[in-house]
Amino acid sequence: MTQRTKAFLLLLGVALLGAGSGAQVPPAARPDPVKEKRLEWFRDVKYGMFIHWGLYAIPAGQWNGTRSPGLGEWVMFRSRVPVKEYEQLAAQFNPTKFNADEWVKLAKEAGMKYIVITSKHHDGFALFKSAASPYNVVDATPFKRDILKELSDACARAGIRLGFYYSQSQDWHEPNGAGNEWDFGPDDKKDYDRYLQGKAEPQIRELLTHYGKVALIWFDTPRMMTGDRPHRFTRIVRQLQPDTLIDGRLGAEGDYTSTGDNVIPPNVNGQAWEVPATINHTWGYRTDDTDWKSPGQIAFKLIDIVSKGGNYLLNVGPMADGMIPQASQDILRTVGRWLQVNGEAVYGAGPTPFGEELGEASARGARDIRGDALMYQQIQWRVTTKPGKLYITFFDEPRAPFALPAVRNSLKRAYRLADKQPVELKMENGRAVLNLERPIIDPMATVVVVEFDGATIERTKS
Ligand code: JFZ
C-alpha cells in the first residue's frame, strides 16, 4: 500500500491514549445540532495562538538563583514557593512593552485565526480586574492595566476570536484551591466548594461579562471535579454566553476534545478536537528553553492535524516585559508566509479520504508502554480536501512520478497551489499519476491541487 513512497519512516510511539485527563479522542457520539452549530467556526479556523503569561514570566524558570526544572508556569509548585513569597512577584510585574495590537498582529501574520490566553493559571494570579480576588493585574501590580481588556479590544478591532484559559481546579494561591499542599495541607481536607464559589465561579462570570464575545473557555487539569461541580461551570457559561465553547478539560463533557499536550492522534477523527502544543518545551517563558521547533516542523504538524480533522493551538510564552520571544515570532511569521500562499489547503479544509499516507502499525503488533499500537509515522505527504478538490502537500521531495491511491472519481486536472502551474496528470493501472518536477518548488512544503468530479472522493474497493 504505502510501500511505494520512499522508505523514510519515523518510529513513533503514538502516545495518544491514557495520558491522564483529556488525553483521548473518543469515538463519535450522536451529533447534537446545537453543539454542532456552536462548533462551526471552530472546525474551520484550524490554527490558533495559545498565550501563557503571568507572574511566572518574571522568574522564567529559576527560583533564588537555582534552576527550577519543568514547565515555566509551574515554578511555584516545583520549587514549593510559599504564597507569601511568590505573591511578591506582583509588585514587580510591570510589562511596559506589552502592546495588545502587536500580539494580535503577530497572530494574524502567523495565519492564526483565534487566540486563547491564560486569564488565570494554577498560580492563581488573574490577568484581569476582578472583584472576586484582589490578586489580579489591576489591583496588585504597578502596571494596573487590565491585560484582558486591552487584548479583547485589540481582537475585536482585528476581527480575531479570543478565548480564555482558566484553571478552575488548581489555585495555589487559595487556602481552599487544589494543588498547594505545602502551604495549606492536603487537598482532601480543604473546603473546596468555598474556593469554587468564592473565586472560580465568580471569575468565570466576570470573564463572560466584561470582555465582549468570548470564543471559548479553556478549563484545565480537572481535579476533584465531582458531582455537580463541573456542571455549575457549564451552567454559568451557557447562561451568560450560549455560543462560547467549552474545551475538553472541564471534568464534564465539553464541546470539543483536547488531546494530551503536544499529542497528535495517529488517524482521522471526525469529532471536534484540538492539539495544544508548544514551540519549544515550556508554556510559560523560560530563559533556558531555546530548543525551538523549526518552521518546517510546525507546518508539518499543522497539515498533519488538519488532514486528520483537528485544530492546532500553538503556544507562545511572552517575557516579563510583555514581548513575545523573538525566536517564536520569527518561526510563526515564516509559517505565516507559507500560509499566505497555501492557506487554501488549510482553512476550512476537511480531512484526508485516504489514510495510507499517515503511516502504518509496526510489524508484529508492537505496543508502547501504555499498550497502544506503535506507529511508523510517514512524513512525506498529507491530504486535505474541499468539495471537488484534493490538496496534496509534499514535505519531502516526492518520487516523480507520484501515484495517488486509486479512486472512482474521474480526475480533471492538477496544478501547484503556489503558482497555479499545471502538473501533468495521467492514469496508470487505475491510479492517477502526477508528474512532479524536481526539485519541488517550496523547500518547506509544496501543495498540488487535484480537481475531481463530484464533491467527495469515492475510494475504489480493494
Ligand atoms: C496543563 C497545565 O498544567 C500546563 O501548565 C499547561 O497550561 C498545559 C496547557 O495544560 O498541563 C497538562 C494538562 C493535561 C495533559 C497534559 C498536561 N494531558 O491531558 O495530557
Side-chain angles (χ1 to χ4, degrees), residues 55 69 101 119 123-124 350 420 428 440 453:
L55 298 180
D101 290 305
S119 64
D123 68 359
K420 308 288 183 279
E428 267 174 33
I440 54 174
D453 274 331

Side-chain angles (χ1 to χ4, degrees), residues 207-365:
L207 289 171
L208 290 160
T209 309
H210 299 150
Y211 304 96
K213 200 166 173 311
V214 177
L216 57 89
I217 304 280
W218 217 97
F219 295 104
D220 198 11
T221 62
R223 298 196 190 164
M224 305 192 286
M225 281 283 123
T226 52
D228 192 37
R229 287 165 177 166
H231 306 291
R232 299 206 300 259
F233 284 109
T234 308
R235 281 199 293 272
I236 293 168
V237 176
R238 297 292 182 246
Q239 185 211 339
L240 292 173
Q241 292 205 32
D243 294 336
T244 299
L245 298 179
I246 296 173
D247 77 328
R249 293 182 182 175
L250 170 59
E253 195 187 319
D255 291 301
Y256 66 88
T257 312
S258 312
T259 71
D261 299 3
N262 292 299
V263 175
I264 301 177
N267 292 307
V268 175
N269 189 304
Q271 295 261 289
W273 52 276
E274 177 185 64
V275 177
T278 50
I279 309 184
N280 49 356
H281 303 273
T282 180
W283 306 88
Y285 178 67
R286 290 189 67 104
T287 50
D288 59 359
D289 186 347
T290 54
D291 186 29
W292 309 101
K293 290 168 193 75
S294 70
Q297 286 173 304
I298 301 288
F300 173 76
K301 287 173 192 291
L302 173 61
I303 309 288
D304 186 33
I305 289 166
V306 174
S307 84
K308 293 164 180 173
N311 284 8
Y312 193 25
L313 184 63
L314 186 59
N315 184 72
V316 295
M319 300 180 288
D321 64 0
M323 294 296 289
I324 293 171
Q326 192 61 45
S328 294
Q329 294 194 36
D330 295 345
I331 293 160
L332 292 183
R333 288 202 181 90
T334 303
V335 179
R337 279 192 293 277
W338 186 87
L339 282 166
Q340 262 166 35
V341 176
N342 298 286
E344 192 188 315
V346 172
Y347 307 117
T352 179
F354 306 123
E356 43 269 73
E357 73 278 21
L358 303 175
E360 47 196 296
S362 72
R364 298 184 296 280

Side-chain angles (χ1 to χ4, degrees), residues 19-23 50 52 71 73-74 121-122 165 170 218 220-221 249 259-261 276 283:
S21 55
F50 213 169
H52 274 70
L71 303 170
E73 72 280 9
W74 276 72
H121 205 267
H122 308 331
Y165 172 108
Q170 292 194 75
W218 217 97
D220 198 11
T221 62
R249 293 182 182 175
T259 71
D261 299 3
W283 306 88

Side-chain angles (χ1 to χ4, degrees), residues 388 390 404-405 407-414 425-427 430-434 450-453 457:
L390 288 170
L404 273 177
V407 300
R408 286 216 281 230
N409 310 62
S410 66
L411 305 179
K412 296 196 291 200
R413 62 182 187 120
L425 171 74
K426 59 179 184 222
M427 296 303 291
R431 293 175 69 173
V433 176
L434 298 172
V450 176
E451 293 184 354
F452 57 86
D453 274 331
I457 282 287

